[in-house]
Amino acid sequence: TMHHHLYHYADKLGLLAKVHIDPIAEILYPPRDYSDWENEQKRRQTAADILASQLGDKDPIKVADILTTIEEQARAAYISFPTWGGHVCWRIADTADNPTAWTAALFARNAPAYLVEPFLSKIAASNTPEAETWVSSALERPSLQIMGVNLILRHCVPEDPVWKQASPLFKDSIGT
């Protein structure tokens, strides 16, 4: 999402009213405005909470496509902060009846760990055998390994097979 750059250029040129910015991208990656940081932060959180309640009722595959596409665009534009994607996913996961469907959809789109973790955490907290399968899959993906190790340390015991699978990665996850 190039809207960060576009927003600032349009603002300097007095053309903000003529620029259309994807409303979901604007919530996930809002333009930086530090003039009233506290109120702006509250407004952004409220917008992200509303977005989560809207997306939580939709098909996880479609939502995963939307979220990961915006994340890919942001990375391509070298934009990584501020992102509200993780917050939105935590809110969706809080109310999701089927976190497995969300996890599968996000895995299929190679979503970053901060989008996957809320759903996989919910699975790990409620269903260890199913979680072990998903965490094991996460350990096989370099971008999800640290998340997988963190979930194992929180929800598994050393006797679990997935613990043994992850143990070689423990030293690489120190300090994360």
Side-chain angles (χ1 to χ4, degrees), residues 15-96:
L15 299 173
L16 276 179
K18 297 185 187 265
V19 174
H20 171 71
I21 297 173
D22 179 289
I24 295 175
E26 189 170 16
I27 291 169
L28 296 179
Y29 287 94
R32 297 176 190 148
D33 179 9
Y34 299 110
S35 60
D36 187 2
W37 190 83
E38 276 188 30
N39 284 329
E40 187 61 22
Q41 189 73 357
K42 288 176 190 172
R43 187 195 66 73
R44 290 175 180 176
Q45 182 173 343
T46 300
D49 290 343
I50 291 168
L51 177 62
S53 70
Q54 293 168 345
L55 295 178
D57 295 333
K58 297 192 182 312
D59 175 16
I61 294 170
K62 291 180 181 175
V63 174
D65 186 51
I66 291 166
L67 295 177
T68 56
T69 297
I70 292 170
E71 294 294 326
E72 290 163 1
Q73 291 171 351
R75 279 194 303 267
Y78 300 104
I79 298 168
S80 60
F81 179 82
T83 179
W84 285 87
H87 178 88
V88 167
C89 285
W90 279 107
R91 292 295 180 258
I92 294 171
D94 286 344
T95 61

Side-chain angles (χ1 to χ4, degrees), residues 129-166:
E130 183 181 11
E132 285 185 18
T133 301
W134 283 108
V135 172
S136 179
S137 294
L139 294 174
E140 295 170 6
R141 297 181 183 203
S143 65
L144 301 179
Q145 285 177 342
I146 292 173
M147 175 200 63
V149 167
N150 286 333
L151 289 172
I152 287 167
L153 293 173
R154 282 189 271 152
H155 299 287
C156 298
V157 295
E159 294 77 29
D160 292 337
V162 73
W163 184 289
K164 291 177 177 88
Q165 178 188 359

Side-chain angles (χ1 to χ4, degrees), residues 7-19:
Y7 178 87
H8 291 293
Y9 295 137
D11 187 33
K12 287 181 182 183
L13 296 171
L15 299 173
L16 276 179
K18 297 185 187 265
V19 174

